[in-house]
Amino acid sequence: MQSILTSCVTIAFTRSESEIPERYYKLNDAVNSILDNDIVPAGYEEFVESLKLMNELSNILRNKMVSHGYLEFNSPEPKILVDEKCHPYKIELRNQGTGEKLIENFMICANETVAGFVEDKNLPGIYRVHDTPNKDKLASLIKFLNLKGFSIKGDPNKFKPTDYQRLLKLYKGREDEIILNNLTIQSMSKAKYSDENIGHYGIASKRYAHFTSPIRRYPDLTLHRLVKEYLHTDTTAGYWKKRLFDIAIQSSKKEQDSINCERDVEKMKKAEYMEDHIGEIYDGVISGVCDFGIFVMLDNTVEGLVRIEDIPNDNYFYNKELNLITGRKTKNRYMYGDKICVKVVKANRETSQVDFVIV
């Protein structure tokens, strides 16, 4: 049982495909096979009862989280497969089965428990915090959704996580669900690290911290050190109180640097992949609108630009107030979430850019 848990946790904590041995994929598939399809692969018979009991507890935890306002966005992550020369040959979406959700639920529970331990002792701690939404961005989101045909009412100053939950339910199953989810995320504040606990809005948790991954996140390692010391003494509280503010600021900054780096590499490899697909036609959804064109996201999450001067059959202009592009004669509109068919005309790995034209 311990080996299964250890392997599953390894999968959950590892970001790079190259860092995950093939046996972990097989083990993860086996766990999901048992929990999702009730099919027991050979050699896993002795773990079935324990895994199902764990899943039962996981569902209890998730239902409790959701009842408090936990937000679960449908924002699929791409998995870029490369050959021995690091050339991308396939882009697919990561699959989150029941096994992955089980790990996530247990980790959130562990993080909340440790954050509570430190706060209850009234000792210095480092928390993962998420502030209330940006009021202006939230107002813009509500205005946009009403323009798209939704009937959204709500005071941006009093918007609760449960109000966001209702939005996510409205998006469910739509062709533009991912785009609407991404826009909704953009209306929210960014999570960060802090030595002051203000709660975590997105998880709907009054006290939350990152504790479960000390091998790859410095705030987690710091919290491990704090807990170890606080279990035996609180004489180091003054030492940590002077340092945790700077640790939280630096950790938040380096986290953002890491995200930017990962995003840049991902965009580069996607452009490199599309270099092999010039001239091909894809269905996509408009994921961005600006004064020089529209961005279109394909099903594999590759994003490219249709330049405004290349939109056919009319002279188009950008309406900043409504955040859409409109034809002067035809009055045709292009806006977030619209489904569209495009052809790849250019891709450049050096600039990480992909260009489309509308079919």
Side-chain angles (χ1 to χ4, degrees), residues 110-124 127 207 209 211 223-233:
N111 289 338
E112 288 182 316
T113 301
V114 175
F117 167 80
V118 174
E119 188 175 54
D120 287 343
K121 284 183 170 290
N122 198 30
L123 292 169
Y127 299 90
R207 44 195 193 182
F211 174 79
L223 192 53
H224 272 252
R225 290 170 173 168
L226 292 174
V227 170
K228 183 178 179 181
E229 294 185 17
Y230 292 164
L231 283 172
H232 301 287
T233 178

Side-chain angles (χ1 to χ4, degrees), residues 31 63 83 144 162 170 201 225 247 293 296 302 325 332 344:
V31 171
N63 290 336
D83 58 23
F144 166 77
T162 49
L170 292 175
Y201 186 90
R225 290 170 173 168
I247 290 175
V296 178
V302 169
I325 283 179
N332 286 339
V344 185

Side-chain angles (χ1 to χ4, degrees), residues 44-60:
Y44 289 83
E45 293 82 1
E46 64 178 297
F47 305 119
V48 173
E49 184 177 350
S50 294
L51 283 171
K52 289 188 175 181
L53 184 60
M54 290 169 63
N55 191 41
E56 184 179 344
L57 174 58
S58 172
N59 289 332
I60 292 173

Side-chain angles (χ1 to χ4, degrees), residues 29-145:
D29 290 342
V31 171
N32 284 330
S33 176
I34 294 169
L35 298 179
D36 291 332
N37 305 316
D38 204 24
I39 298 175
V40 183
Y44 289 83
E45 293 82 1
E46 64 178 297
F47 305 119
V48 173
E49 184 177 350
S50 294
L51 283 171
K52 289 188 175 181
L53 184 60
M54 290 169 63
N55 191 41
E56 184 179 344
L57 174 58
S58 172
N59 289 332
I60 292 173
L61 291 172
R62 177 56 66 104
N63 290 336
K64 179 182 177 182
M65 289 156 50
V66 170
S67 69
H68 290 165
Y70 173 80
L71 302 179
E72 186 174 17
F73 290 94
N74 179 18
S75 299
E77 293 184 17
K79 181 165 64 174
I80 302 174
L81 306 180
V82 299
D83 58 23
E84 63 278 358
K85 295 183 179 179
C86 208
H87 181 73
Y89 65 88
K90 187 178 182 180
I91 300 177
E92 58 187 31
L93 301 182
R94 296 180 186 272
N95 177 47
Q96 187 183 48
T98 301
E100 289 86 353
K101 293 180 181 178
L102 181 150
I103 296 169
E104 180 183 356
N105 294 338
F106 286 174
M107 287 196 301
I108 289 175
C109 182
N111 289 338
E112 288 182 316
T113 301
V114 175
F117 167 80
V118 174
E119 188 175 54
D120 287 343
K121 284 183 170 290
N122 198 30
L123 292 169
I126 183 167
Y127 299 90
R128 181 67 170 176
V129 300
H130 187 211
D131 208 348
T132 53
N134 181 291
K135 305 302 185 294
D136 293 335
K137 290 183 178 180
L138 182 53
S140 296
L141 173 67
I142 293 174
K143 181 179 179 180
F144 166 77
L145 291 175

Side-chain angles (χ1 to χ4, degrees), residues 256-286:
Q256 190 59 52
D257 289 345
S258 175
I259 291 172
N260 292 340
C261 178
E262 184 177 354
R263 186 178 295 139
D264 289 345
V265 172
E266 187 178 279
K267 287 177 63 177
M268 178 188 68
K269 300 310 283 187
K270 286 179 178 179
E272 184 179 354
Y273 171 80
M274 296 306 291
E275 287 177 345
D276 298 332
H277 298 272
I278 303 296
E280 295 185 13
I281 295 175
Y282 296 89
D283 289 326
V285 179
I286 295 178

Side-chain angles (χ1 to χ4, degrees), residues 305-317:
L305 173 68
V306 177
R307 301 183 187 280
I308 194 168
E309 62 266 23
D310 293 333
I311 302 178
N313 304 325
D314 204 344
N315 181 18
Y316 285 83
F317 69 97

